[in-house]
Amino acid sequence: MKDSALILVEYQNEWLSPDGKLQFLLKDKGRFVSSIESSKIALAAARQFGLKIAHMGLHFYPDHRELGGVTATSHGLRGAIPRAGTFRTSEAGHIHPEPFAPLADEFSGAGRTGASVFANTNLDIYLRNNGIKTVYLMGYALHVCVLASLCQGHDLGYEMKLLEECTAAFDEAQRNFVLTEVVHHFGERISNAKFLGSLSR
């Protein structure tokens, strides 16, 4: 497993805290809560077995100047994030709560401004300099930032593996579509049991 890394996508208060600004998007709360518990198990095992771990959150200036601020012409996430006021470093929403806060020897990516964890970040160079070939991916939201990361990771040449129990979309229909119709084009969906089994080899 020395050539493998676990990537955490947005394990931050905007998603995880009851006061998070993105909580209203989650229609399937049961699946979301289950994904958090599965994520805790996967992360604890990865730490126990010494897997490389990278935390890839979003952290913006209070006025979201990285995205151009709130403008009438902004579209997609570049417009939605400033309008929603999410992931501001001046507020608690951008913080990674326990047990998902980065440990001292874990990697915290910088520079991210897009949906993918590779967008304008130092993640790719970190992975390559550490000889990483296989990327295990988990986080939020499955049909947006996790999927974007899966696709770009594939195109960059990594073997991408999605921990399907450690992620959630806004609703079950979105989740099922991504898992059954999309993931296999860019990688492999695997269970927590399979992930934990691979760590002990």
Side-chain angles (χ1 to χ4, degrees):
M1 298 294 288
K2 291 186 184 219
D3 63 351
S4 300
L6 176 65
I7 311 299
L8 282 71
V9 183
E10 291 170 40
Y11 283 83
Q12 296 170 268
N13 281 334
E14 295 293 29
W15 290 114
L16 303 182
S17 169
D19 299 326
K21 293 177 182 175
L22 298 175
Q23 279 285 313
F24 78 98
L25 294 170
L26 301 169
K27 311 302 181 192
D28 189 355
K29 294 286 179 132
R31 176 71 70 180
F32 178 70
V33 170
S34 174
S35 73
I36 294 174
E37 295 309 308
S38 294
S39 297
K40 291 177 181 178
I41 293 170
L43 178 58
R47 284 171 168 165
Q48 177 185 349
F49 285 93
L51 203 68
K52 287 280 190 295
I53 296 169
H55 301 261
M56 300 303 298
L58 288 168
H59 310 276
F60 294 111
Y61 277 93
D63 60 2
H64 292 90
R65 67 190 67 173
E66 302 93 333
L67 303 178
V70 180
T71 68
T73 58
S74 295
H75 61 280
L77 292 181
R78 288 196 299 273
I81 290 173
R83 285 193 294 273
T86 49
F87 300 107
R88 290 173 169 146
T89 55
S90 59
E91 299 175 350
H94 83 106
I95 294 171
H96 301 264
E98 297 296 339
F100 301 108
L103 300 184
D105 61 344
E106 295 172 355
F107 181 77
S108 293
R112 183 176 165 214
T113 56
S116 167
V117 295
F118 295 98
N120 305 314
T121 75
N122 52 359
L123 177 61
D124 183 44
I125 193 64
Y126 166 76
L127 296 176
R128 295 191 188 282
N129 283 341
N130 282 277
I132 302 301
K133 297 178 181 177
T134 300
V135 170
Y136 293 92
L137 197 62
M138 63 185 206
Y140 308 101
L142 171 61
H143 63 302
V144 188
C145 295
V146 175
L147 178 57
S149 303
L150 180 79
C151 296
Q152 190 169 2
H154 166 273
D155 288 352
L156 287 169
Y158 295 102
E159 183 178 353
M160 302 298 295
K161 296 183 183 291
L162 175 69
L163 302 187
E164 61 181 314
E165 295 165 47
C166 301
T167 187
F170 299 163
D171 60 46
E172 193 67 5
Q174 294 167 338
R175 182 177 185 273
N176 287 338
F177 178 77
V178 172
L179 292 179
T180 60
E181 304 296 334
V182 182
V183 170
H184 65 274
H185 294 292
F186 303 100
E188 177 187 6
R189 54 185 279 200
I190 66 171
S191 65
N192 253 21
K194 186 171 181 179
F195 174 63
L196 299 179
S198 67
L199 290 176
S200 60
R201 291 189 197 130

